[in-house]
Amino acid sequence: MIPILYHYDISPYAELVRTGFGAKGLTWGSVMVSSILPKPDQTRLTGGYCRTPVVQIGADIYCDTLAIMPALEALGGHTLYPAPLGQMHRMAASWANGPQFTAHVIAGFSAIPPESFDENFVKDRQARFGLNLASLTAAGPHYLGQALACADLLSHMLADGRAFMGGDAPGAGDLAHYSNIWMVKKNPGSAAVADQLLALPHVADWYARVAGIGHGDRREMTGAEAMAEARAATPIPVVGTVAAPYVAGMMAAVSQPETKDPPTIGRLLRCDAGGITLAREVDGEPGFTVPKFTVHVHFPRLGQVVAPA
């Protein structure tokens, strides 16, 4: 059983996970999904969570990179949290995936002429996140300053000759900061912004080292093949507790505060500082007598809203 990634090529968060596979030397399954809604292969398992990426390991479904990377760490191999930083890589990745992701997105998007955006992409992001291209353009200089400040911190961190943020070995913090610059560099319309970030001392060499990690052993799969693996598997036992005011076994909805995406609803098995787990039933194949089966859908605690369903 190998981890299966639901992703599209230009997703920066998916690039973070793909590089994580490479760092750990993993073989993984690739299920391609659209960059816009709908994403039926993915949402049938997640119960509505439609951001990219999602990782499936058997009947366990991990949403958000802050849940995905610890799940990959549990598979063994090269650690994503190498010494001396250790778990501080998780904090660095959280900062990169949060405010610095926003800074890099807006710095990059603001450099692209509005008429160059795909119309369907704009409609999707307007409906889900309230995207306003005029506002992005106006906000560009501020967020470029934020992204450059981050690159400057990275430059100073690398000034003593270390290869990666913590030393000789790459960690989750490196991968998360790399994926932000990768996103800006990937789009030709914002390549000049990436050039400014990479022009700071030591940053371009570090970027090349992270890019050189690669993506591991990628094997293409269909959504039907991935669904069959989930149906044949049993979710792993849940480790953790349900903290007040929530109650174990209650029906709960997990959503993200900055989006209009539908919540994932299920039976609450875990809700503590370490994460959230819902048990939910997936319908059998439409038109056939295939019974429902159970999956566990995992979220990080950071960035999620939990409410009674």
Side-chain angles (χ1 to χ4, degrees), residues 105-271:
V105 166
I106 298 177
F109 276 20
S110 67
I112 303 171
E115 62 272 15
S116 299
F117 284 89
D118 178 80
E119 181 179 354
N120 291 325
F121 177 86
V122 171
K123 288 180 178 178
D124 179 89
R125 296 313 194 261
Q126 283 176 339
R128 296 170 60 198
F129 304 108
L131 173 66
N132 183 311
L133 293 180
S135 296
L136 285 185
T137 301
H142 165 68
Y143 284 102
L144 175 57
Q146 299 300 298
L148 284 167
C150 177
D152 184 66
L153 288 173
L154 181 60
S155 175
H156 281 85
M157 183 178 292
L158 298 166
D160 62 0
R162 68 184 68 189
F164 299 101
M165 291 174 65
D168 295 334
D174 293 280
L175 309 188
H177 284 275
Y178 158 81
S179 67
N180 285 343
I181 301 176
W182 176 91
M183 167 184 59
V184 181
K185 185 177 176 64
K186 187 73 172 177
N187 193 311
S190 59
V193 174
D195 289 344
Q196 292 184 64
L197 301 173
L198 294 170
L200 289 163
H202 318 295
V203 176
D205 289 343
W206 162 85
Y207 181 92
R209 285 190 289 271
V210 180
I213 292 170
H215 293 162
D217 182 9
R218 172 174 173 168
R219 301 185 179 182
E220 300 301 327
M221 297 180 69
T222 66
E225 290 171 332
M227 184 68 66
E229 289 208 8
R231 185 184 301 110
T234 300
I236 62 174
V238 175
V239 176
T241 61
V242 176
Y246 309 105
V247 178
M250 69 181 285
M251 293 301 294
V254 177
S255 60
Q256 297 74 49
E258 67 279 17
T259 179
K260 295 181 180 178
D261 290 345
T264 295
I265 297 174
R267 184 164 49 87
L268 190 63
L269 303 181
R270 180 188 186 188
C271 185

Side-chain angles (χ1 to χ4, degrees), residues 40 46 57 226:
T46 63
I57 304 177

